[in-house]
Amino acid sequence: MPEVELTAGTIAYEDTGGPGPVVVLLHGLVHDATVWRKVVAGLRADHRVIAPTLPYGAHRTPMRPDVPLTPDSVNDLVAEFLDRLDLADVILVENDCGRARTVAAKHPGRLAGLVLTSCEAFDNYPPGVPGKLIALACKVPGGITVLARTLALRPLRRLPVGLGALTKRPVPDEILDGWLRPLLTDPAIRADFRRYNQGVRRTELLEAVDGLRKFDKPALVVWATEDRMMPRAHGRRLADVLPQGRLVEIEDSCTLIAEDQPEALCAILRDFIAETR
């Protein structure tokens, strides 16, 4: 897997290469680029698909401790990632976390379009019970280790207060093991995770709404109808905020649509990308 050295540290990413339209996929907390593996497989034949592993706890290389690591700084990291790879006319897709909308508002020149799929928005931040448990764990000494060890217990993985809240169907154990291993084994990764979560500003995503109103390019909001973390009404609200926004809902799915309904998501992305050409 290639890597790029950015101001905050080293970022690993998957890049299918090829001359097709560029699609950049952003994941959420305690996931890595493998959360998009089925979407990458579905698009790679005729798209250049790039999926970075962001410093959200499942990254393997710690960030520089002398550089701020917060949700705001990750917005800058994503923009720097696009610049360093010299990516233009990008379709930027995000799931679970809410960084892409700020990147789109501040750096619209890099983007051809924006896709928001079941993600934190407005005042739902941190989202749901799992998000609030993560925030609590980052405030308590040893809390992140306890959280990671609890999530790593296979009999508990489908509980709705943990990773089980994100999907209707179990994520393969080998994928979940990969997501959790850095938090379980590397104190520096746990320190990164704590720094990021302690930097959360509750008003950040409300402030981002003003930026979305100025993003006058093709935009698509894709929402899971059975999402347990992200209110269904937020999908409609986000689509209404975006000048060229529209909403598509996907049945039989929770937050991680790329896990629950990858074929449907690929079809929707293909149609949207074709419309932006």
Side-chain angles (χ1 to χ4, degrees), residues 72-92:
D72 288 316
S73 71
V74 172
N75 292 329
D76 296 333
L77 182 150
V78 172
E80 185 181 2
F81 177 81
L82 299 179
D83 286 342
R84 285 294 303 277
L85 270 62
D86 195 23
L87 301 175
D89 294 328
V90 168
I91 302 296
L92 186 62

Side-chain angles (χ1 to χ4, degrees), residues 196-223:
Y196 175 87
N197 284 284
Q198 288 182 338
V200 166
R201 292 186 300 105
R202 294 295 301 273
T203 60
E204 179 201 352
L205 298 183
L206 290 169
E207 295 166 11
V209 171
D210 289 336
L212 287 185
R213 291 194 176 101
K214 301 171 186 175
F215 185 75
D216 197 7
K217 291 188 176 185
L220 183 66
V221 179
V222 183
W223 221 258

Side-chain angles (χ1 to χ4, degrees), residues 10 12 14 21 41 51 54 93 109 116 119-120 134 137 149 157 200 202 221:
T10 301
E14 180 170 359
L54 300 172
V93 184
L116 309 178
C119 51
E120 56 197 16
I134 287 173
R149 288 176 178 172
R157 287 184 170 179
V200 166
R202 294 295 301 273
V221 179

Side-chain angles (χ1 to χ4, degrees), residues 72-239:
D72 288 316
S73 71
V74 172
N75 292 329
D76 296 333
L77 182 150
V78 172
E80 185 181 2
F81 177 81
L82 299 179
D83 286 342
R84 285 294 303 277
L85 270 62
D86 195 23
L87 301 175
D89 294 328
V90 168
I91 302 296
L92 186 62
V93 184
E94 76 173 353
N95 180 224
D96 191 14
C97 278
R99 307 286 76 78
R101 65 205 67 176
T102 299
V103 175
K106 291 185 176 181
H107 307 275
R110 286 278 178 195
L111 272 55
L114 176 67
V115 182
L116 309 178
T117 75
S118 281
C119 51
E120 56 197 16
F122 305 108
D123 58 351
N124 183 38
Y125 185 52
V129 174
K132 292 171 177 58
L133 286 176
I134 287 173
L136 178 62
C138 291
K139 295 176 182 177
V140 177
I144 296 173
T145 301
V146 172
L147 175 69
R149 288 176 178 172
T150 302
L151 294 175
L153 294 172
R154 294 188 175 184
L156 303 182
R157 287 184 170 179
R158 294 303 300 158
L159 290 179
V161 295
L163 293 171
L166 297 173
T167 62
K168 287 197 69 175
R169 298 159 188 82
V171 178
D173 283 329
E174 62 270 20
I175 297 296
L176 277 177
D177 290 342
W179 295 351
L180 293 169
R181 190 173 298 113
L183 282 177
L184 288 168
T185 61
D186 192 335
I189 297 296
R190 291 195 292 272
D192 283 351
F193 190 68
R194 180 179 294 106
R195 285 199 294 150
Y196 175 87
N197 284 284
Q198 288 182 338
V200 166
R201 292 186 300 105
R202 294 295 301 273
T203 60
E204 179 201 352
L205 298 183
L206 290 169
E207 295 166 11
V209 171
D210 289 336
L212 287 185
R213 291 194 176 101
K214 301 171 186 175
F215 185 75
D216 197 7
K217 291 188 176 185
L220 183 66
V221 179
V222 183
W223 221 258
T225 60
E226 298 179 49
D227 202 315
R228 305 184 188 106
M229 295 273 289
M230 317 298 177
R232 187 173 179 179
H234 282 187
R236 169 51 59 193
R237 286 178 64 187
L238 283 171

